[in-house]
Amino acid sequence: MSTLGYDEELRSERGYVAGLYARLDAERARVTGMYDAALRGHEGTAVERDVEVRAAAKQVKRLRIADNGLCFGRLDSLSGDRSYIGRIGLFDADEDYEPVLLDWRAPAARAFYVATAATPEDVRRRRQFHSRGRTLVEFTDEVLGRPDGAARGDAALLAAVDAPRGEGMRDIVATIQAEQDEIIRLDHPGVVVIEGGPGTGKTVVALHRVAYLLYTQRERIERNGVLVVGPNPAFLTHISRVLPSLGESDVVFMTTGDLVPGLHVTAEDTPDAARVKGSLHMLDVLAAAVADRQRRPEQPIPIALADAEVRIDAETAEWAIQEARASGLPHNEARTVFTEIVTYVLTERAIARIGRGWLTRRDRDGWEQLRKDLIAELAEHAAFRTALDDLWPILTPQALLASLYTSGEHPALTRADGDAWTVSDVPLLDELVDLLGRDPEADAAAAQTAEQERRAEAEYAAGTLQVLALDREELDEDLGVRIEDLTHSEVLAERFVEVDTRELVERAAADRDWTYRHVVVDEAQELSEMDWRVLMRHCPSRSFTVVGDLAQRRSAAGATSWGSMLDRYVPDRWAYRSLTVNYRTPAEIMAVAAALLAEFAPGVRPPESVRACGVAPWSRRVTADELPAAVEAFVRDEAGREGTSVVIGTGGVPASETKGLEFDAVLVVEPERILAEGPQGAADLYVALTRATQRLGVLHREPLPPALVGLTEA
């Protein structure tokens, strides 16, 4: 194409894109009007109005994301048809609702990502746009089927991976590669495992897969939402922009430490403790701990009633324990059964003593009346309630687990501060929620309070109906209900029930029993058997996208294979896919990391870098006195450059805290100290070396580890 022809085409495309933005603005105005009307609406119940407001708000949010890069490409078919590809779909309402912009997730847009010269997918030309804000700056064409056709998307891809990093992960919607697209659109109802080395884009692929599933299965997924589990808060912050940038907001981001609402993780386990806690053998330990608190008295416990004294002996307690356990109820709820058996035995014994000589079972009414009196007396009897608390106490997960840790019963679990919670404690506490169940007495009290509040509202409503001097028409309008329907004051009370206005994300995060339609697990190689048990409970449909790299495992309780974690739950419903191309780490840096990988994981093949940066990674040996100044020099130099940088190791952040993150420049300080931590240290150093997208430096005080000899001495 000549320069003149290119300029004319560019003007034409700019006009088309400008028209798309005009349609976007019009659609935004229409949806915003719907939202405002829903907020002012008086029709229907409070719940119905809330549903309408939420639906309109979601549409507003989805339309807000499209300003930057609304349209990023065009497909020309062999038959001459043109399709424009973008972040969202837009339609021409004047011409049979024809699409003027295809959502990137639509089936017709798939060819934009997978068409090649060998398999053109009915595509003659693929055009890629480069925009700045709302302005189309330039475009590049790839004509398929011609020998001189460029490789798929090289120009756009390299421009994206070479660009300086900003705050947070960016979406790759305009540069998805064929192997990534295959995983994003994979039609698999169970668990999809995506494994790939550093920089292969496995995390961003998983997030785009979520966006795709929400597009194709929105009605099934949206009501319960999606859970994304990451290794630490910094990682979650890093990836949190991707899905909103794709128009999806009903996603909950958590670490495994957040899975029990309200719990604060303040400590870290030793590798041995983490290994023990992460094993499914802990199920037996927890069950035994609960059973140990279901006790028989060493000596009979006397209960002095008004007309007789009875005793709770070991035989009575044993019978009550067996009946309570046989009920299948959780511990706290089974206390009711335990109490009923003990009460039955004590009342039988008391009746026999009180009624000796004058009361027989033939006097059924007298016997039953005496039983009722004794039951009422026991219910208020302080010694009896104390005995119940000793023999079958109401337990909380936190108190039970803390007492287990401080008891010394299990040396590997013993610690001085029982409730200094660690991440490994979370699945144990979650398990205890099910083992212990709810407190029936507390629930009964809460129900009584709720009933009292409801009655008070009904009484207030009754007074309102009597006092209001509104005519029928005004009352119909103000209450949103016909006066004939207000046959009882409770009907009016229900009109003013407080609606839970929290967004799905807030409600789900605060509810331990919330279940999700889909779960993404990143850095999944770090999760223990107990972690997986919790996550499977959160997703009964077993719909997961699992992301990880077994070579980067640092947790002693983590996965040694995917089957070891998944076969227990989805033996025939998990699919494995791998990513082999490194889009982040330049070849010069990956060569150094690959040498380290060969030492601690010789059977693992490193990903192949898609590009070189032309800058050799360097190392410098410094003394203890020189080290601070050398770190400061790196920070100062990088502050004058565009992009991001980080110091990992001594004087910086731990390598484990940088998992999943990326920076333009990385300085690794004292790698020998990281390696000294054993296999976990080797994995940490591998992570540290592969965070850089442009520049890598290493400062060391001791001799450089042999695996890093590929660094250039500075």
Side-chain angles (χ1 to χ4, degrees):
M1 185 184 300
S2 67
T3 302
L4 181 60
Y6 178 88
D7 290 342
E8 291 177 352
E9 278 284 297
L10 182 59
R11 280 193 294 272
S12 174
E13 297 290 32
R14 282 175 173 167
Y16 191 88
V17 171
L20 294 177
Y21 276 111
R23 292 180 186 276
L24 175 65
D25 291 338
E27 182 66 8
R28 278 177 174 167
R30 185 186 71 83
V31 173
T32 301
M34 291 173 52
Y35 177 69
D36 292 340
L39 286 176
R40 296 191 305 268
H42 299 291
E43 299 297 326
T45 66
V47 173
E48 290 169 341
R49 292 196 301 273
D50 182 59
V51 169
E52 186 178 352
V53 169
R54 288 178 187 272
K58 285 181 180 179
Q59 293 188 59
V60 171
K61 285 182 180 179
R62 290 196 181 110
L63 292 173
R64 283 177 182 165
I65 58 96
D67 265 329
N68 189 19
L70 170 63
C71 176
F72 49 78
R74 190 185 95 185
L75 286 176
D76 296 352
S77 71
L78 294 173
S79 61
D81 293 332
R82 290 181 178 179
S83 300
Y84 287 84
I85 316 299
R87 290 179 173 276
I88 62 173
L90 292 175
F91 300 88
D92 188 345
D94 298 329
E95 298 184 11
D96 299 325
Y97 216 59
E98 286 295 314
V100 293
L101 182 66
L102 283 176
D103 190 300
W104 67 274
R105 296 167 289 190
R110 182 173 179 270
F112 186 78
Y113 300 109
V114 301
T116 65
T119 56
E121 302 277 340
D122 195 39
V123 174
R124 182 177 64 86
R125 185 203 319 269
R126 175 170 38 227
R127 175 167 289 179
Q128 293 180 310
F129 295 158
H130 175 211
S131 298
R132 187 175 297 114
R134 288 190 167 205
T135 303
L136 177 59
V137 177
E138 61 182 357
F139 67 81
T140 57
D141 278 347
E142 179 186 359
V143 179
L144 302 183
R146 286 178 17 183
D148 59 344
R152 154 73 182 109
D154 279 352
L157 174 63
L158 290 176
V161 297
D162 279 334
R165 266 48 184 175
E167 294 184 4
M169 180 179 283
R170 299 170 296 193
D171 66 63
I172 57 169
V173 63
T175 58
I176 294 171
Q177 301 300 289
E179 70 167 358
Q180 297 171 330
D181 186 79
E182 187 270 333
I183 297 172
I184 289 169
R185 299 175 192 264
L186 183 62
D187 183 16
H188 185 79
V191 177
V192 175
V193 176
I194 308 173
E195 184 164 30
T200 53
K202 52 189 179 293
T203 296
V204 76
V205 166
L207 296 175
H208 283 66
R209 175 168 169 77
V210 169
Y212 176 77
L213 292 175
L214 283 166
Y215 177 81
T216 57
Q217 305 175 35
R218 188 170 301 282
E219 186 174 344
R220 183 183 74 85
I221 294 177
E222 196 171 44
R223 178 172 297 180
N224 288 70
V226 175
L227 172 65
V228 176
V229 179
N232 54 61
F235 174 83
L236 294 179
T237 299
H238 179 66
I239 69 171
S240 62
R241 296 182 181 181
V242 174
L243 283 167
S245 76
L246 299 173
E248 306 300 345
S249 58
D250 288 333
V251 180
V252 178
F253 293 89
M254 288 186 180
T255 68
T256 53
D258 300 323
L259 291 173
V260 173
L263 188 75
H264 298 289
V265 172
T266 59
E268 185 173 351
D269 279 314
T270 65
D272 285 343
R275 184 184 298 107
V276 172
K277 290 181 182 181
S279 169
L280 289 178
H281 294 304
M282 282 301 300
L283 296 175
D284 296 331
V285 174
L286 296 177
V290 175
D292 285 346
R293 275 102 182 136
Q294 301 164 355
R295 302 186 179 101
R296 304 143 190 87
E298 295 181 2
Q299 298 295 329
I301 301 173
I303 305 295
L305 300 173
D307 298 315
E309 182 177 289
V310 290
R311 299 187 304 171
I312 305 176
D313 53 29
E315 183 180 4
T316 299
E318 178 63 29
W319 180 27
I321 288 172
Q322 296 307 320
E323 290 294 327
R325 290 175 177 174
S327 71
L329 294 171
H331 170 86
N332 289 338
E333 297 167 37
R335 173 177 159 125
T336 301
V337 179
F338 179 87
T339 301
E340 288 174 351
I341 297 298
V342 174
T343 299
Y344 171 78
V345 172
L346 296 189
T347 55
E348 283 289 304
R349 291 174 180 173
I351 291 171
R353 293 172 185 173
I354 296 170
R356 183 177 297 146
W358 64 271
L359 182 65
T360 67
R361 288 187 181 274
R362 294 178 184 176
D363 185 2
R364 181 175 300 175
D365 291 342
W367 192 285
E368 289 303 319
Q369 184 57 52
L370 184 52
R371 181 191 299 281
K372 290 179 181 178
D373 293 342
L374 289 169
I375 290 175
E377 184 178 357
L378 283 172
E380 301 297 328
H381 199 288
F384 180 65
R385 295 184 65 83
T386 298
L388 291 178
D389 290 340
D390 289 340
L391 300 178
W392 196 286
I394 293 293
L395 301 173
T396 66
Q398 287 87 345
L400 177 57
L401 197 58
S403 67
L404 179 66
Y405 292 155
T406 57
S407 68
E409 298 172 32
H410 302 276
L413 303 177
T414 299
R415 66 188 187 208
D417 189 352
D419 54 5
W421 304 117
T422 70
V423 169
S424 301
D425 292 328
V426 171
L428 309 186
L429 291 168
D430 184 84
E431 187 70 27
L432 284 171
V433 171
D434 288 337
L435 286 177
L436 298 179
R438 303 179 66 87
D439 179 351
E441 294 183 7
D443 286 350
Q448 184 178 8
T449 300
E451 176 63 18
Q452 290 172 347
E453 292 176 352
R454 189 189 67 80
R455 289 185 180 278
E457 290 169 355
E459 291 173 3
Y460 175 79
T464 300
L465 288 176
Q466 294 174 1
V467 173
L468 284 178
L470 298 174
D471 61 27
R472 171 179 299 191
E473 192 172 306
E474 289 174 329
L475 191 59
D476 288 350
E477 182 179 350
D478 288 351
L479 299 180
V481 65
R482 293 180 303 118
I483 189 68
E484 289 85 347
D485 293 335
L486 295 175
T487 56
H488 195 280
S489 58
E490 291 186 356
V491 177
L492 179 58
E494 289 173 1
R495 309 299 296 178
F496 300 100
V497 171
E498 184 177 350
V499 178
D500 187 348
T501 58
R502 294 176 299 170
E503 296 290 339
L504 178 144
V505 170
E506 295 177 273
R507 289 182 284 126
D511 186 353
R512 178 261 174 189
D513 294 319
W514 191 278
T515 57
Y516 299 87
R517 285 293 187 176
H518 191 77
V519 175
V520 176
V521 186
D522 211 322
E523 299 294 345
Q525 73 278 355
E526 307 297 346
L527 271 61
S528 69
E529 292 176 323
M530 289 297 294
D531 289 326
W532 280 109
R533 183 175 171 88
V534 177
L535 290 175
M536 290 294 173
R537 184 188 59 73
H538 274 292
C539 189
S541 64
R542 304 291 195 261
S543 177
F544 282 74
T545 299
V546 176
V547 180
D549 179 10
L550 295 177
Q552 295 185 53
R553 178 178 68 90
R554 67 185 304 274
S555 171
T560 55
S561 71
W562 299 117
S564 65
M565 295 298 181
L566 299 175
D567 284 343
R568 181 183 304 275
Y569 304 102
V570 285
D572 301 315
R573 291 186 60 228
W574 68 275
Y576 176 86
R577 296 292 186 273
S578 64
L579 292 170
T580 59
V581 178
N582 188 331
Y583 300 101
R584 175 178 66 217
T585 316
E588 297 91 337
I589 296 175
M590 197 61 217
V592 177
L596 174 64
L597 181 67
E599 282 200 358
F600 79 92
V604 178
R605 182 178 178 181
E608 183 178 350
S609 295
V610 76
R611 83 197 207 285
C613 65
V615 179
W618 56 267
S619 68
R620 182 186 310 146
R621 189 170 186 177
V622 294
T623 65
D625 292 338
E626 295 170 335
L627 182 59
V631 172
E632 289 177 9
F634 169 83
V635 173
R636 184 173 57 254
D637 290 345
E638 290 300 329
R641 299 174 184 261
E642 186 180 5
T644 60
S645 61
V646 69
V647 176
I648 301 176
T650 304
V653 299
S656 59
E657 294 297 315
T658 65
K659 276 198 164 189
L661 307 183
E662 57 184 27
F663 306 88
D664 291 273
V666 171
L667 179 68
V668 178
V669 182
E670 297 193 283
E672 62 274 20
R673 294 185 62 177
I674 300 176
L675 275 178
E677 298 181 17
Q680 171 184 312
D684 281 349
L685 183 55
Y686 182 60
V687 168
L689 295 174
T690 54
R691 298 307 94 193
T693 66
Q694 302 290 344
R695 301 174 295 281
L696 171 67
V698 174
L699 296 176
H700 58 105
R701 291 170 54 193
E702 302 298 326
L704 198 65
L708 303 185
V709 293
L711 293 166
T712 300
E713 187 68 29

